[in-house]
Amino acid sequence: MRNVTTLIEQMTLEEKAGLCSGDNFWRTKGVERLGIPAINLSDGPHGLRAQGEEQDHLGVNESKPATCFPTAAGLASSWSVDLLEQLGAALGDEAQAEGLHVVLGPGANIKRSPLCGRNFEYFSEDPLLSSHLAAAHIRGTQSRGVGSSLKHFAANNQEHRRMSVDARIDERTLREIYLASFEHAVKEAQPWTVMCAYNRVNGEYCSEHRRLLTDILRDEWGFEGFVVSDWAAVNERVPGLVAGMELEMPASGGERDAQIVAAVREGQLDEAVLDQAVARLLTVFFRAVDARLEDAGFDAEAHHQLARRIARESMVLLQNDGTLPLANEQRVAVIGEFAERPRYQGGGSSHVNATRVEPLLEALETRGASFDYTKGFEIDRDAPDQQLEQDAATAASHADVAVLCLGLPDRHESEGYDRTHLDLPANQLALIEAVTAAQPNTVVVLANGAPIVMPWAGRVSAILEGYLGGQAVGAAVADLLYGEVSPGGKLAETFPQRLEDNPVHLNFPGEGDVVRYGEGIFVGYRYHDTHDVAPLFPFGHGLSYSHFDYANLTLSADTFNGDDQLTVSLDITNSGEREASEIVQLYLSDQTQTVPVAAQALRGFDRVTLAPGATERVEMTLSRRDFCWYDAERADWRLPTGSFEIRVGASSRDIRLTQCLEVRGDKTPLPAIDRNTLLGDLKAHDGAVRILREHLADIAEELPMLNDLMGRGGGDDLMDAMGHYLPLRAMISFSGFTEARLEALLKDLRATASAD
């Protein structure tokens, strides 16, 4: 057992400072004379990007072959913590085989806008779904003795000016949406490291944001590992160290190490701060090295088949008039270059050198399907080609059904820049027109990392959202097209009808280096459902080749006060003729309107697989936090009092069962008391009402605006409104109330507030 404290005492100041930055792009420094090891890190949310000695960050030098699994956009559509854990374990096995100690991922940033170029690498617009899937990913990887690096903390929701942009977010929104997407993953899965983001949050760079990295991440959430910078995210090294950012990556050429040393020697940095950082680093370094397996390996073919299974359980059947599944005897026209050159992963730092790639054409040949292939369009250009379109239309007209393989080319979405629109390329739009005019039975298979608009949806028979399905994408698509399995994925994000329907449209990507999160908590379906803006396809939507019935919703209690958990139970029956999966979604609707809230918010989910005719009792639990809103003024989560509606359904727009619940919430605290406090803000507090009635009894008769406060029903809406919004000081103007009496009233109200 190594004594970290003793080791730190034996280290020179230069050695300690040097431990806080990388040795090269992917490896940390070690201290050989003391037996302190270096560790190796690698990109890898959906597949490793391990490089040899010729290392770089953006993939100029090719990485070693690794399994390329579906990206997070698709993974999230599985809504399966079991699948995410299996994927994480597979990544851990491959990392062990390559001598890697930490895998950079998963990415838990919220999909604030569908334009974000890196959305393919993030899970969801909903923080509960995102954080639970991230936790499962981390558990899987770390079960193999390999660390995860949860990223990018925090509010890294766009690529435009990502290294300088300042995300201006109010505290309630930050807590309920953007931090909540990380919180459960940190608390439940304890990633070995957390990666801080490039951007600023409310004026401070994340790499030196003490409130994020220490006050919240460590002190509130109990994070035990170390914080690593995103590559080149460090602004000022010494303030970053003080804030809680222990490891700078990549190597700084000794420049930053010298800054730390100078700060200690000049008395600007307490050496104890450096020692604490080194202790955190050493703890993880030794854990990683001790977990290293000798002669580790992995079964590449088994991982390829795992990638296939994950992909087919993640793809979403958006639309189907009965054309799918296809029958083996049907003659199929397969159209689109993606069928032979699939887009199966995103661009940028997560690019994987796949062990092998299985296109749709290869998969169809393997299964002996009856099909003809035409190119239809060229991936590498956007301009329409009339000859290719005519060839495709002719092929479609001679087939029973056409399968169009469409999507976004690599250059349309990537790390480093955001999209500017939600359209397919012009040549693909022209192809849709040509093929649907020739063949009414047309199926569209999409390869994209984020939503697109579909003005053509009404012209096609079925739409299968394949997202970026990993190296086995072709086999997975074939499995679904021909009904080897029933589609079971559901959208983890809203597909808007138009870009303008997205709630952040007017606030994205900001002005200069400032982006204001003016939509507040109303992100994704929270906006669409609250403001009744119809989406193209709603959050949680996904079709099946089977049918499911929901029945017998029960609650474990009729009232809830936050002390215990509430169990929500219901029966799900597969009323179709084939085995299939259903993703049951639980939403809470806060009817109290204590503060502005979304019409509903996801608070639970479960994926169940049922044989035809089978019924399963599904149980989901709710805790106090699920009912709370964040009170920024008091820096705490508040449980409101009043009615909630429990809603269970197949999507946010397909609610099948509802039940009301009464919540007995927290005592309403008094606001800050001064002469400008409004009467209406005091009426929810019984003690304050008693004091007000005592002090105002003699003037209430002459002020009808006080009738509601005094418990006298007057029925005068104007007077009631005036009384509700009346500052305490204004009573002097409307009556014989004096400054002295006002001061006495304020004193008694403050005493009541203190007593609480």
Side-chain angles (χ1 to χ4, degrees):
M1 177 67 68
R2 306 169 188 83
N3 189 309
V4 168
T5 301
T6 300
L7 281 173
I8 293 173
E9 291 172 350
Q10 296 173 338
M11 295 174 70
T12 66
L13 176 59
E14 288 76 11
E15 287 171 336
K16 289 188 287 188
L19 215 62
C20 295
S21 66
D23 187 45
N24 56 25
F25 256 94
W26 298 113
R27 188 170 57 245
T28 67
K29 297 187 183 77
V31 181
E32 187 175 353
R33 71 180 186 86
L34 296 175
I36 295 174
I39 65 169
N40 299 311
L41 303 90
S42 170
D43 278 319
H46 58 273
L48 301 185
R49 202 166 67 86
Q51 295 179 317
E53 290 305 311
E54 294 297 322
Q55 299 185 355
D56 69 273
H57 187 45
L58 294 177
V60 175
N61 297 301
E62 190 171 82
S63 56
K64 298 179 181 179
T67 308
C68 182
F69 294 96
T71 68
L75 295 173
S77 298
S78 74
W79 295 59
S80 173
V81 294
D82 291 337
L83 275 183
L84 266 293
E85 201 157 336
Q86 291 176 47
L87 177 139
L91 292 176
D93 289 339
E94 296 197 19
Q96 284 280 9
E98 294 295 346
L100 302 173
H101 303 96
V102 173
V103 174
L104 306 181
N109 293 105
I110 288 292
K111 296 183 179 184
R112 177 175 177 249
S113 168
L115 293 176
C116 177
R118 207 169 183 176
N119 273 357
F120 63 84
E121 202 173 325
Y122 301 142
F123 290 121
S124 179
E125 66 189 30
D126 182 83
L128 181 135
L129 180 57
S130 176
S131 61
H132 279 71
L133 295 179
H137 190 291
I138 294 164
R139 284 196 307 270
T141 302
Q142 296 187 171
S143 73
R144 296 303 200 259
V146 174
S148 290
S149 189
L150 181 63
K151 63 182 186 178
H152 308 88
F153 191 65
N156 185 175
N157 308 117
Q158 64 187 65
E159 293 298 284
H160 178 72
R161 303 175 77 96
R162 65 175 178 170
M163 298 186 76
S164 59
V165 71
D166 183 8
R168 304 281 179 86
I169 315 173
D170 70 89
E171 183 67 9
R172 183 184 165 205
T173 298
L174 185 65
R175 291 285 191 157
E176 292 188 19
I177 304 295
Y178 298 97
L179 295 186
S181 193
F182 291 86
E183 183 177 358
H184 173 80
V186 171
K187 289 180 174 179
E188 196 275 334
Q190 276 294 342
W192 291 6
T193 85
V194 167
M195 182 190 293
C196 70
Y198 286 120
N199 52 281
R200 292 175 285 171
V201 174
N202 294 329
E204 292 186 76
Y205 279 98
C206 290
S207 61
E208 53 195 63
H209 206 303
R210 181 176 178 82
R211 185 160 177 272
L212 286 177
L213 302 184
T214 296
D215 298 347
I216 294 174
L217 182 61
R218 290 194 184 279
D219 297 344
E220 289 188 29
W221 297 353
F223 175 60
E224 298 171 357
F226 67 77
V227 174
V228 58
S229 72
D230 202 343
W231 268 234
V234 174
N235 176 47
E236 296 285 354
R237 185 63 188 102
V238 173
L241 191 66
V242 173
M245 197 275 291
E246 285 83 20
L247 178 62
E248 176 186 11
M249 289 298 288
S252 66
E255 182 77 17
R256 306 285 199 176
D257 305 347
Q259 292 175 6
I260 294 173
V261 170
V264 172
R265 287 182 172 157
E266 295 167 8
Q268 298 171 358
L269 174 66
D270 187 342
E271 191 166 357
V273 173
L274 176 59
D275 289 349
Q276 182 183 60
V278 172
R280 291 167 176 164
L281 291 166
L282 290 179
T283 299
V284 174
F285 288 4
F286 285 123
R287 180 190 303 167
V289 171
D290 289 346
R292 180 82 179 90
L293 299 177
E294 296 298 327
D295 301 320
F298 70 96
D299 186 333
E301 180 57 27
H303 281 198
H304 181 81
Q305 294 306 321
L306 175 61
R308 174 181 183 173
R309 181 163 62 86
I310 292 174
R312 71 189 187 192
E313 294 192 34
S314 301
M315 294 177 180
V316 184
L317 184 59
L318 297 176
Q319 178 176 302
N320 187 25
D321 66 359
T323 299
L324 292 180
L326 302 176
N328 286 330
E329 62 272 14
Q330 286 180 293
R331 190 69 187 174
V332 179
V334 179
I335 301 166
E337 194 175 7
F338 282 128
E340 63 173 323
R341 291 177 54 198
R343 178 157 184 249
Y344 59 94
Q345 64 176 320
S349 61
S350 66
H351 194 86
V352 179
N353 180 16
T355 55
R356 70 183 178 99
V357 179
E358 192 170 5
L360 178 59
L361 295 186
E362 178 184 325
L364 293 177
E365 289 171 356
T366 299
R367 69 175 289 116
S370 176
F371 73 96
D372 293 310
Y373 168 69
T374 54
K375 190 174 182 179
F377 67 92
E378 293 184 355
I379 294 173
D380 298 326
R381 59 195 297 265
D382 292 345
D385 185 315
Q386 291 185 348
Q387 186 59 56
L388 290 177
E389 293 155 21
Q390 182 57 53
D391 292 345
T394 300
S397 68
H398 294 151
D400 297 316
V401 61
V403 174
L404 281 175
C405 298
L406 309 176
L408 299 177
D410 281 331
R411 63 187 182 280
H412 279 239
E413 52 179 351
S414 174
E415 177 182 358
Y417 55 87
D418 294 320
R419 298 157 70 195
T420 58
H421 59 79
L422 300 182
D423 300 312
L424 285 175
N427 54 358
Q428 296 185 38
L429 294 175
L431 180 64
I432 294 171
E433 293 292 322
V435 170
T436 55
Q439 174 54 261
N441 299 320
T442 297
V443 175
V444 170
V445 177
L446 293 171
N448 47 296
I452 60 172
V453 292
M454 306 181 197
W456 41 265
R459 301 189 62 179
V460 302
S461 301
I463 304 171
L464 179 65
E465 175 56 83
Y467 279 111
L468 304 180
Q471 65 182 55
V473 61
V477 168
D479 289 341
L480 294 172
L481 290 179
Y482 283 88
E484 295 295 331
V485 293
S486 175
K490 296 200 174 188
L491 293 178
E493 59 190 327
T494 303
F495 275 47
Q497 295 194 49
R498 310 176 306 152
L499 176 59
E500 293 80 4
D501 291 342
N502 186 268
V504 308
H505 179 60
L506 296 179
N507 291 305
F508 186 93
E511 300 177 20
D513 273 336
V514 174
V515 55
R516 294 177 176 84
Y517 285 48
E519 69 284 353
I521 64 169
F522 298 98
V523 179
Y525 73 90
R526 285 171 165 83
Y527 169 79
H528 284 268
D529 294 349
T530 303
H531 296 281
D532 198 24
V533 178
L536 176 62
F537 297 108
F539 177 82
H541 169 75
L543 303 179
S544 170
Y545 294 154
S546 193
H547 305 281
F548 295 90
D549 297 327
Y550 290 57
N552 302 324
L553 176 64
T554 61
L555 309 181
S556 60
D558 296 327
T559 60
F560 180 75
N561 63 10
D563 291 340
D564 300 310
Q565 289 189 327
L566 180 79
T567 301
V568 180
S569 306
L570 67 147
D571 290 334
I572 299 294
T573 300
N574 181 352
S575 55
E577 298 179 352
R578 62 169 65 215
E579 180 178 276
S581 296
E582 173 69 335
I583 297 166
V584 184
Q585 300 159 47
L586 168 60
Y587 297 86
L588 272 186
S589 178
D590 181 354
Q591 311 284 303
T592 71
Q593 298 296 308
T594 306
V595 292
V597 292
Q600 58 187 8
L602 183 73
R603 289 294 181 258
F605 61 92
D606 193 12
R607 179 170 180 143
V608 294
T609 301
L610 297 173
T615 297
E616 182 171 325
R617 189 71 174 165
V618 174
E619 290 189 352
M620 293 173 279
T621 57
L622 298 172
S623 64
R624 170 189 166 89
R625 174 69 176 271
D626 292 315
F627 293 83
C628 287
W629 59 278
Y630 190 78
D631 186 341
E633 184 177 347
R634 290 167 179 81
D636 202 2
W637 294 92
R638 289 271 306 281
L639 180 66
T641 294
S643 295
F644 279 73
E645 188 171 75
I646 309 291
R647 301 176 176 177
V648 179
S651 80
S652 65
R653 291 296 181 104
D654 185 7
I655 301 300
R656 306 288 183 88
L657 303 171
T658 63
Q659 190 162 327
C660 289
L661 176 75
E662 287 300 313
V663 174
R664 297 169 183 166
D666 301 333
K667 185 177 180 181
T668 302
L670 277 169
I673 303 298
D674 59 37
R675 60 192 292 112
N676 286 297
T677 299
L678 303 183
L679 280 174
D681 290 343
L682 301 174
K683 287 193 297 185
H685 193 282
D686 293 341
V689 170
R690 177 181 54 80
I691 291 170
L692 286 168
R693 288 176 175 176
E694 291 174 358
H695 280 263
L696 305 179
D698 64 322
I699 65 170
E701 290 294 334
E702 58 186 283
L703 293 177
M705 64 187 68
L706 298 182
N707 283 345
D708 185 53
L709 173 68
M710 303 305 287
R712 297 193 297 266
D716 189 327
D717 292 342
L718 172 61
M719 288 295 105
D720 288 348
M722 290 183 65
H724 190 86
Y725 299 112
L726 189 73
L728 295 176
R729 60 170 169 75
M731 288 183 294
I732 296 172
S733 302
F734 289 117
S735 70
F737 212 65
T738 64
E739 286 284 350
R741 290 183 63 180
L742 177 59
E743 288 302 317
L745 172 60
L746 294 175
K747 180 179 179 181
D748 286 351
L749 288 172
R750 288 171 182 146
T752 297
S754 299
D756 287 345

